[in-house]
């Protein structure tokens, strides 16, 4: 059985690195890319399998391919940074040529 691996283009990787850098400045310490979603979080938790995952209470998930965004923030300090995070995300989508 073969597994299809989707590799992001070099330009997308570059744009993603710029977004990661900006989000880190805003206090989002953790990053994961999974199932065409980019997830940023402020803290980790351990799941039932003992694997570390981004805590759902303070995270932003960004869809690749369309302008999809899910955000859950319960920390007031992080909440104050959301306008700047939104602009960084919009800049990422613009660099990717995503307008939908």
């Amino acid at each position: 059985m073969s597994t299809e691996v989707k590799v992001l283009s070099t330009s997308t990787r570059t744009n993603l690195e710029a977004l990661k850098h900006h989000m880190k400045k805003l206090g989002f310490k953790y990053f994961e890319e999974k199932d065409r979603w980019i997830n940023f979080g402020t803290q980790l938790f351990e799941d039932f399998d003992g694997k570390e995952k981004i805590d759902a209470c303070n995270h932003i998930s960004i869809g690749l391919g369309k302008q999809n965004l899910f955000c859950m923030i319960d920390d007031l300090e992080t909440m104050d940074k959301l306008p700047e995070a939104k602009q960084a995300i919009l800049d990422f989508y613009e660099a990717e040529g995503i307008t939908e």
Side-chain angles (χ1 to χ4, degrees):
M1 186 185 326
S2 68
T3 303
E4 183 180 331
V5 176
K6 294 186 179 186
V7 178
L8 297 177
S9 71
T10 302
S11 63
T12 297
R13 279 276 166 225
T14 301
N15 295 335
L16 188 53
E17 287 301 317
L19 178 60
K20 283 170 48 177
H21 176 73
H22 200 100
M23 295 298 279
K24 187 174 183 177
K25 287 187 345 187
L26 295 174
F28 291 89
K29 304 171 193 156
Y30 305 101
F31 167 87
E32 82 180 354
E33 181 188 324
K34 183 177 180 186
D35 300 327
R36 308 260 320 141
W37 283 89
I38 303 162
N39 303 296
F40 294 96
T42 59
Q43 54 195 17
L44 295 174
F45 78 98
E46 195 171 298
D47 70 3
F48 299 112
D49 298 331
K51 296 178 183 174
E52 286 190 330
K53 293 192 173 187
I54 293 174
D55 188 353
C57 291
N58 283 298
H59 82 284
I60 295 177
S61 295
I62 305 160
L64 278 172
K66 285 187 182 179
Q67 283 191 11
N68 290 327
L69 174 70
F70 178 81
C71 176
M72 183 178 286
I73 304 293
D74 68 1
D75 174 34
L76 291 176
E77 187 176 314
T78 304
M79 205 175 292
D80 289 342
K81 298 174 183 176
L82 286 179
E84 192 173 346
K86 176 186 171 188
Q87 189 58 54
I89 293 163
L90 289 173
D91 291 347
F92 169 78
Y93 280 132
E94 183 179 333
E96 286 294 298
I98 299 169
T99 57
E100 298 178 11

